[in-house]
Amino acid sequence: MPERSAHLEIARLWLAGRGLTDVPPTPWLAARLTVRRRARLAASTLVALFLCGVALIYVTALPTGEPADELRSLLVLMALVVVLVLAQALLDRWVRHVDRQASEQLPQRAAHTIRPGWRTVLGLPRAALLVTTYIAATTLAIGTLIVRDSTDRYPPVILLIGLCGVAIGTVIQLRHVLTHPVVADDEGSLAADLHMRVEDARELAMPTAVWSLPVVSVFSAGLDPWNTAWLVFIVLSIIALLLITAWTGRSTLAAARHATSAR
């Protein structure tokens, strides 16, 4: 089938791009890569729709500024957060389902397929950046909420609710990435599995939504000191992510080889 051949070719190119030219592009590997590409596209679309929803919820209460209208908008936002988390969980379940199907197709399971720890998969620098980003964002949101008067607290409340939703979704998905079983039957497929796990974790650890939420909420109030602090925070965290990516990108293949040879 042309589609199957295309997926196998994409798998071959994916393996070659990670230095795994000695690993054959099997149908189950192609299926795992395909479902991840589709799930990432769907996840990005979900986050974009969520941000659009946050912006719409924010502006709906602006014309009146009535507490009742703001309360209704916040309830709608909470419902939107629940929908986001559930949708992300369903996407994650879809990926794990394909992984289970691939595992059932293996002729044998590789010996000593111990799941790699979070330091191997995510890495200490990225984990530290992720935690620091959420702590800093929450601190800034709470600070904005405290210092503004009672008539201007609606935007930071929206921001806090949005941050909570994004954080919950990230934690749930990262937990699944770190705990789902290894799908491999030899050293080469172990390395491929580790690469997929690392890419899944790093994709989830990208704080894009955290950077975007202030733009659709608190930034509408103008560049007061707190919003300036938000801009500085976003710029610094982006620079930190670029430095971490440049530093860790060179060692990904070596880490994969080391992790598989240690088994």
Side-chain angles (χ1 to χ4, degrees):
M1 295 182 182
E3 184 179 1
R4 182 176 179 180
S5 299
H7 290 165
L8 286 173
E9 178 63 15
I10 292 173
R12 186 189 67 79
L13 294 174
W14 182 87
L15 290 167
R18 285 143 189 84
L20 301 175
T21 54
D22 55 330
V23 180
T26 58
W28 60 263
L29 176 62
R32 295 184 69 195
L33 291 172
T34 299
V35 74
R36 277 164 170 76
R37 288 196 306 272
R38 293 172 178 173
R40 285 172 186 169
L41 177 60
S44 299
T45 304
L46 272 176
V47 173
L49 292 174
F50 174 72
L51 292 172
C52 291
V54 172
L56 288 173
I57 289 169
Y58 171 62
V59 299
T60 52
L62 286 182
T64 62
E66 294 293 331
D69 293 335
E70 292 181 353
L71 179 59
R72 280 193 294 269
S73 296
L74 293 177
L75 292 175
V76 173
L77 177 58
M78 291 179 186
L80 186 62
V81 165
V82 173
V83 171
L84 173 69
V85 174
L86 289 177
Q88 289 175 329
L90 288 175
L91 286 175
D92 188 74
R93 184 177 179 181
W94 178 32
V95 173
R96 304 308 152 217
H97 175 68
V98 174
D99 282 353
R100 284 194 299 271
Q101 288 182 325
S103 179
E104 293 170 358
Q105 296 175 19
L106 296 178
Q108 61 181 5
R109 297 297 295 274
H112 310 298
T113 52
I114 302 173
R115 288 190 299 266
W118 65 270
R119 286 177 178 268
T120 302
V121 175
L122 185 58
L124 181 59
R126 287 179 183 271
L129 176 64
L130 182 64
V131 173
T132 303
T133 298
Y134 276 99
I135 291 176
T138 304
T139 302
L140 284 171
I142 293 174
T144 306
L145 179 64
I146 292 174
V147 300
R148 290 186 176 178
D149 57 56
S150 58
T151 61
D152 198 22
R153 290 178 178 171
Y154 178 59
V157 171
I158 283 185
L159 179 57
L160 275 173
I161 295 174
L163 280 173
C164 289
V166 173
I168 292 171
T170 301
V171 169
I172 292 174
Q173 289 179 293
L174 275 177
R175 178 182 175 275
H176 289 164
V177 169
L178 294 172
T179 59
H180 79 266
V182 173
V183 181
D185 60 352
D186 55 24
E187 182 179 337
S189 56
L190 276 173
D193 183 89
L194 178 57
H195 273 285
M196 272 188 278
R197 199 181 294 259
V198 168
E199 291 176 7
D200 288 346
R202 292 183 177 181
E203 182 75 18
L204 292 172
M206 283 283 291
T208 310
V210 179
W211 297 333
S212 303
L213 277 170
V215 179
V216 297
S217 55
V218 294
F219 277 7
S220 63
L223 284 180
D224 59 16
W226 283 98
N227 286 350
T228 302
W230 269 108
L231 283 175
V232 173
F233 155 71
I234 292 172
V235 171
L236 289 178
S237 57
I238 290 174
I239 292 173
L241 179 62
L242 291 174
L243 292 175
I244 290 172
T245 301
W247 178 45
T248 59
R250 303 171 184 174
S251 59
T252 301
L253 178 59
R257 290 299 189 187
H258 175 74
T260 54
S261 62
R263 291 184 168 89

